Amino acid sequence: MKKYSKMVRLLTWIASFAYNNPNMNIHTLIAIPYNPYEPKPYERWTMAGMLDLEYELKVAAEFWDFIGGIGSYEVLLDAFEEVGREMREEIDEYFKKFEIIKKTK
């Protein structure tokens, strides 16, 4: 049960909060914060038939705009782009060590 303790704690907290706020609107869904297939839609065979995709899955912009309001995804992308430009040298330096590891295998 230990590996589930954080999840149980989170669900207990949500249940307690919902008990004290019976009119609260709770959404349960699977969220994928990034679509690696962009600009194509996220279409994994593992999702086929398992979920009601309209209500139980939010990917990329749909997820970020759901939790942060319309336009949140674009703001987030802009922030990542700005930080990426500002830290380009540091990021490149960090990833060089993985190139060395890959070459030694």
Side-chain angles (χ1 to χ4, degrees):
M1 186 74 169
K2 186 175 181 173
K3 73 178 185 175
Y4 298 110
S5 64
K6 290 179 183 177
M7 185 186 324
V8 169
R9 195 172 331 146
L10 176 63
L11 291 173
T12 301
W13 181 82
I14 291 169
S16 298
F17 190 79
Y19 179 79
N20 290 316
N21 299 278
N23 295 324
M24 189 169 105
N25 192 2
I26 298 174
H27 299 271
T28 56
L29 51 90
I30 294 179
I32 301 171
Y34 170 73
N35 179 5
Y37 309 111
E38 190 71 36
K40 295 178 183 176
Y42 187 86
E43 294 181 0
R44 288 284 305 241
W45 64 269
T46 53
M47 297 293 164
M50 292 177 54
L51 301 171
D52 181 344
L53 298 180
E54 184 177 349
Y55 298 104
E56 297 179 328
L57 178 68
K58 297 207 180 291
V59 179
E62 189 179 14
F63 166 64
W64 292 107
D65 289 352
F66 174 76
I67 63 171
I70 294 174
S72 295
Y73 183 64
E74 289 301 320
V75 170
L76 186 63
L77 289 180
D78 290 345
F80 272 98
E81 186 174 344
E82 182 179 337
V83 170
R85 281 194 306 266
E86 290 176 10
M87 298 184 65
R88 179 63 188 246
E89 289 179 23
E90 187 177 333
I91 292 168
D92 288 346
E93 190 63 33
Y94 177 79
F95 281 101
K96 280 182 185 176
K97 65 184 175 186
F98 296 105
E99 291 174 11
I100 294 169
I101 292 170
K102 205 162 71 172
K103 289 178 184 177
T104 61
K105 288 186 178 183

